[in-house]
Amino acid sequence: MNRLIVVSNRLPFALDSASEDLWTVTPATGGLVSAVEPVLRERGGTWIGWPGIAGKIPKGPLAEATHDAGYEVVPVALSGTERDEFYYGYSNEVIWPLFHDLQNFCNFEPAYWETYKAVNDRYADAIVHCSHADDFIWVHDYHLMYVGQALRERGLSAALTFFLHIPFPPYDIFSKLPQQHRLLRALLQFDLLGFQTRRDLRNFLGCVRRVMLNAQVVPRRELQLVRFEKREIRLGHFPIGIDFESFEKGAMSPAVANRALQLRANFPDSQLILGVDRLDYSKGIPERLRAFRNALERHPELRGRVVLIQVVVPSRVEIPRYNEFKQRIDRLVGDINGRFSTSDWLPVQYHFRCLDHEDLLAHYRGCDIAFVTPLKDGMNLVAKEYCACRTDENGVLILSQFAGAAEQLKTGALLVNPYDVEEVADTIFKAFQMPESERTARMKRMRQVVRKENVFWWVDSFLTAGSRLARRSPSRWRNLRILIM
Ligand code: F6P
């Protein structure tokens, strides 16, 4: 059976040191990790990635903690400079803002690109070192877009696959990137490129047409085709899902039910609105708070009757823009609570920390409205997790039209433009007043999609597309069908 080799910047395990010899290994957080981990746990395979600390990686603690993971874990080490220039720098100060259409937030520091390539080379070495001829190599996300090129430079002729978890921008934005040609050339070294949505795929093909003048885009009904330097590259959109059953089961557990009841009991007369986001400017948190403030101003019926629980999970705090962004959120929360709170009502409950899994599920289960309004997002799994946890088929989802999830959930969610503060404010009011029958009908439709197009469906669609490559390269892929369930 073909072994699945997943390669991503982050491992699902985060290593940290409390003191010189005291190491802790905790589950890593994030969309990619939470989606891919159940798949590897179920199928087995190998995961190559970074455990989140700079410097040497001690062998013992990670090996011990991952012994029963169900798959092999291969750590890649980054020095302090590499972490700063590859992870914080090129990945998160160039690609991340640019691909989320926020070009003014980019820091196009030339040294970042060199380190990005060097770290991608390191990942390529790790793949060469631990992969066998029949493995299915699946590289993930924007940190590792150069790995295909690095592997070709090492003489690897086998088929390689890649999935981009974040959006791909339109040409007018992508064309700001100093390395646009080199990056597209590197991506075209993969044999299968997966994107979250039709929009991202369309944007990518538009960029290939404009930048790679010797590439030929051949439109197809299912997988698209690009011919480039005597090679054929397949491209498709594969919207990522969640482990629906596990969320549903978790939400129904007595412990979660109790915590949800406790949460509700704290706010007996209010509808609860929930925002859960990593600290990130792409998530639209200030715009959301302004919309909430606007709703309280223009719809006084909401005062004392709604509470916004906004959870912000600390992330990338070493990048100055993230820190400034946190201060903006703090100020807005202070302003809203200062202006509207009464002796027995605080409109915004703000938590700057990670919720444990049970608590997160209890919040999904206990909150009447989920408020998911990123300025742009590859998919946004919070929206899907909320639906999976609403086993009572109740709950309203207010969703940004610029989240990848909008393509699948538009039949049930209230779609909004997150920049339009008044429209979002009116949508809060609409959600607040929505009759139960409508809530249920909408939630049922969304749950059907999230249940069916779950994370295992996502993997199967991607691997099935990979198996089409298999037919063109039989020796490398002959057993792939066995892997697909
Ligand atoms: O959305 C893509 C993604 O890689 C997610 O998996 C994750 O939540 C985030 O971006 C990365 O976060 P971090 O920088 O903490 O790895």
Side-chain angles (χ1 to χ4, degrees):
M1 174 160 129
N2 297 77
R3 199 167 51 129
L4 184 56
I5 302 220
V6 165
V7 191
S8 69
N9 172 54
R10 240 180 231 292
L11 279 175
F13 300 94
L15 193 59
D16 206 355
S17 64
S19 64
E20 205 178 314
D21 279 324
L22 192 58
W23 292 92
T24 56
V25 181
T26 49
T29 53
L32 186 160
V33 160
S34 62
V36 179
E37 210 276 338
V39 173
L40 265 196
R41 207 182 327 118
E42 192 179 288
R43 290 168 187 267
T46 299
W47 195 323
I48 301 174
W50 178 54
I53 47 150
K56 261 184 119 182
I57 300 168
K59 280 212 175 109
L62 197 61
E64 248 169 62
T66 60
H67 187 253
D68 296 328
Y71 50 90
E72 186 194 6
V73 171
V74 178
V76 174
L78 300 186
S79 69
T81 309
E82 285 169 343
R83 179 202 53 196
D84 293 347
E85 297 191 350
F86 154 76
Y87 170 67
Y88 288 126
Y90 200 77
S91 302
N92 287 315
E93 282 193 73
V94 179
I95 297 297
W96 180 272
L98 191 74
F99 281 31
H100 286 85
D101 299 353
L102 298 164
Q103 50 196 305
N104 293 342
F105 287 14
C106 293
N107 175 7
F108 294 115
E109 165 59 50
Y112 289 171
W113 168 247
E114 293 306 322
T115 312
Y116 183 80
K117 279 196 306 178
V119 172
N120 274 244
D121 280 341
R122 171 112 25 92
Y123 273 89
D125 287 335
I127 296 170
V128 169
H129 186 74
C130 72
S131 69
H132 307 133
D134 280 338
D135 293 340
F136 186 94
I137 298 171
W138 190 2
V139 181
H140 290 257
D141 227 359
Y142 62 103
H143 316 83
L144 301 179
M145 292 187 286
Y146 200 80
V147 162
Q149 168 100 36
L151 285 168
R152 297 299 180 215
E153 283 165 6
R154 281 155 182 73
L156 204 90
S157 60
L160 298 171
T161 70
F162 177 85
F163 183 80
L164 184 69
H165 289 252
I166 66 171
F168 199 92
Y171 173 73
D172 280 353
I173 289 176
F174 183 73
S175 57
K176 310 289 185 318
L177 185 68
Q179 299 80 19
Q180 55 189 283
H181 188 273
R182 281 168 281 177
L183 200 71
L184 285 183
R185 184 163 196 277
L187 279 169
L188 292 175
Q189 304 307 313
F190 288 100
D191 299 275
L192 173 64
L193 290 171
F195 298 87
Q196 295 274 27
T197 65
R198 287 190 181 84
R199 171 200 68 192
D200 302 315
L201 176 55
R202 202 171 44 238
N203 286 345
F204 180 80
L205 291 174
C207 291
V208 168
R209 280 197 186 93
R210 302 284 294 270
V211 180
M212 308 303 285
L213 298 180
N214 53 344
Q216 186 197 1
V217 178
V218 187
R220 292 270 161 100
R221 221 157 22 110
E222 274 182 40
L223 284 183
Q224 306 289 314
L225 175 69
V226 170
R227 295 208 172 93
F228 178 65
E229 294 181 344
K230 301 196 184 139
R231 300 184 46 258
E232 293 199 334
I233 299 102
R234 308 277 147 170
L235 307 97
H237 74 281
F238 306 88
I240 196 167
I242 59 164
D243 185 350
F244 181 90
E245 271 183 29
S246 149
F247 276 93
E248 188 180 57
K249 220 168 117 200
M252 287 194 298
S253 74
V256 168
N258 273 339
R259 284 212 202 185
L261 276 177
Q262 266 169 26
L263 178 72
R264 292 237 50 114
N266 292 339
F267 309 98
D269 301 317
S270 295
Q271 287 201 29
L272 302 183
I273 307 177
L274 177 68
V276 185
D277 307 86
R278 253 184 338 99
L279 177 69
D280 200 296
Y281 45 74
S282 67
K283 301 294 181 187
I285 305 169
E287 290 76 4
R288 184 182 311 161
L289 288 165
R290 287 175 53 220
F292 183 67
R293 182 174 64 189
N294 189 280
L296 296 179
E297 278 163 359
R298 291 194 302 117
H299 301 285
E301 305 91 309
L302 292 175
R303 296 184 201 163
R305 305 286 312 283
V306 290
V307 170
L308 170 60
I309 302 179
Q310 178 63 56
V311 180
V312 178
V313 178
S315 152
R316 303 178 193 163
V317 276
E318 291 184 36
I319 300 176
R321 206 170 274 283
Y322 282 71
N323 223 334
E324 288 161 24
F325 179 70
K326 176 175 180 297
Q327 289 167 19
R328 245 180 100 196
I329 297 171
D330 293 352
R331 280 197 298 272
L332 271 163
V333 171
D335 175 60
I336 299 171
N337 282 342
R339 274 177 63 188
F340 294 98
S341 64
T342 61
S343 55
D344 56 1
W345 175 62
L346 193 66
V348 186
Q349 299 274 328
Y350 170 45
H351 308 292
F352 184 63
R353 61 184 160 86
C354 197
L355 296 186
D356 71 41
H357 190 63
E358 235 173 45
D359 217 8
L360 178 67
L361 300 193
H363 276 76
Y364 287 148
R365 199 178 149 155
C367 291
D368 307 275
I369 298 166
F371 203 5
V372 185
T373 52
L375 303 181
K376 191 152 183 189
D377 215 332
M379 176 54 58
N380 197 295
L381 298 181
V382 167
K384 294 187 171 182
E385 291 169 6
Y386 178 69
C387 296
C389 290
R390 297 313 305 223
T391 52
D392 58 352
E393 298 183 328
N394 203 328
V396 184
L397 174 63
I398 301 178
L399 180 61
S400 162
Q401 65 189 86
F402 306 124
E407 228 171 60
Q408 288 166 296
L409 301 181
K410 57 178 176 251
T411 56
L414 298 178
L415 290 193
V416 292
N417 170 2
Y419 293 97
D420 186 344
V421 164
E422 290 189 338
E423 183 207 21
V424 179
D426 291 342
T427 308
I428 294 174
F429 192 52
K430 181 174 174 185
F432 173 77
Q433 290 183 309
M434 189 181 282
E436 199 178 318
S437 56
E438 186 181 344
R439 286 176 178 233
T440 303
R442 285 174 176 272
M443 184 49 76
K444 264 191 180 160
R445 290 200 287 273
M446 292 192 287
R447 280 172 55 81
Q448 252 169 21
V449 177
V450 181
R451 177 185 281 117
K452 179 166 167 271
E453 299 180 355
N454 62 29
V455 72
F456 302 104
W457 169 88
W458 170 70
V459 168
D460 285 349
S461 344
F462 193 85
L463 294 184
T464 303
S467 76
R468 298 190 193 162
L469 308 175
R471 287 200 285 277
R472 282 186 293 278
S473 168
S475 67
R476 170 82 188 177
W477 299 102
R478 66 181 175 275
N479 297 322
L480 184 64
R481 280 275 170 213
I482 304 168
L483 188 79
I484 300 168
M485 300 191 305

